[in-house]
Amino acid sequence: MSSDLLQRGKHIKLAIFDVDGVLTDGRLYFLEDGSEFKTFNTLDGQGIKMLIAAGVQTAIISGRKTPVVERRAQNLGIAHLYQGREDKLVVLDELLGQLNLSYEQVAYLGDDLPDLPVIRRVGLGMAVANAATFVREHAHGITTARGGEGAAREFCELILRAQGRLEAAHAAYL
């Protein structure tokens, strides 16, 4: 892990996640009745819970809208959920105004072009390992794990490590 990423992670007060391709593997599953389902990784969920317990606020910004994501956000305790919002930078600015935070205090994990404006603007903008090439080229860092396969956990632990809180987060389970 680079010292630049750790330096960027020190001041993070808000971690934002995309959903499809980040908290999931990016595949969309549609049933005959038109409903859809997604699969989420429990390691990612635990990472988000550890961030929240350490005092880092969390948010989801997704271009798609589905009740499954709302349920997952509630289960994890994610306080800020924005779905069906294509212009993620507009949402970021709304959220920063609401929380009185600066761009430098935000970390974002994404995978595709709609995430790129936010990745480039925030203090710690990261891409998952299987993100679109152009997005990986412009991110501050890239996870070793793929979206839906532990990338969010890796991102969460990077922030906790940068803030000297990872050992305490782990020790809480001993």
Side-chain angles (χ1 to χ4, degrees):
M1 180 170 322
S2 80
S3 61
D4 177 58
L5 292 179
L6 290 173
Q7 187 61 35
R8 288 176 176 279
K10 279 185 181 179
H11 307 291
I12 299 304
K13 302 225 181 284
L14 171 65
I16 304 174
F17 303 86
D18 177 36
V19 176
D20 295 317
V22 173
L23 295 180
T24 74
D25 63 9
R27 291 185 276 186
L28 301 175
Y29 300 91
F30 295 98
L31 302 177
E32 285 185 28
D33 66 2
S35 63
E36 72 178 90
F37 69 91
K38 300 175 184 292
T39 58
F40 297 93
N41 187 300
T42 58
L43 293 174
D44 291 341
Q46 185 60 44
I48 291 169
K49 287 181 177 181
M50 290 188 313
L51 267 186
I52 293 168
V56 176
Q57 296 190 64
T58 55
I60 286 175
I61 303 175
S62 179
R64 296 180 47 78
K65 183 171 181 158
T66 175
V68 175
V69 173
E70 185 174 346
R71 190 172 318 119
R72 182 67 172 157
Q74 288 173 347
N75 289 344
L76 295 176
I78 295 172
H80 309 283
L81 173 61
Y82 298 87
Q83 293 194 83
R85 301 290 297 269
E86 295 291 329
D87 192 337
K88 296 181 179 191
L89 200 52
V90 169
V91 177
L92 173 65
D93 288 338
E94 290 173 16
L95 191 53
L96 292 182
Q98 178 185 339
L99 300 176
N100 196 29
L101 296 173
S102 68
Y103 293 123
E104 294 76 25
Q105 295 173 301
V106 177
Y108 186 91
L109 184 62
D111 73 315
D112 209 350
L113 295 174
D115 302 310
L116 193 54
V118 176
I119 287 172
R120 291 175 47 97
R121 183 72 51 97
V122 298
L124 176 61
M126 293 190 62
V128 297
N130 58 322
T133 302
F134 191 68
V135 174
R136 290 193 321 265
E137 290 171 353
H138 287 87
H140 297 124
I142 303 165
T143 63
T144 58
R146 298 168 56 88
E149 298 177 6
R153 174 65 168 266
E154 187 179 328
F155 174 74
C156 293
E157 288 195 351
L158 183 153
I159 294 166
L160 291 168
R161 182 175 291 114
Q163 296 181 3
R165 298 178 181 179
L166 183 60
E167 293 75 22
H170 288 165
Y173 294 91
L174 294 177

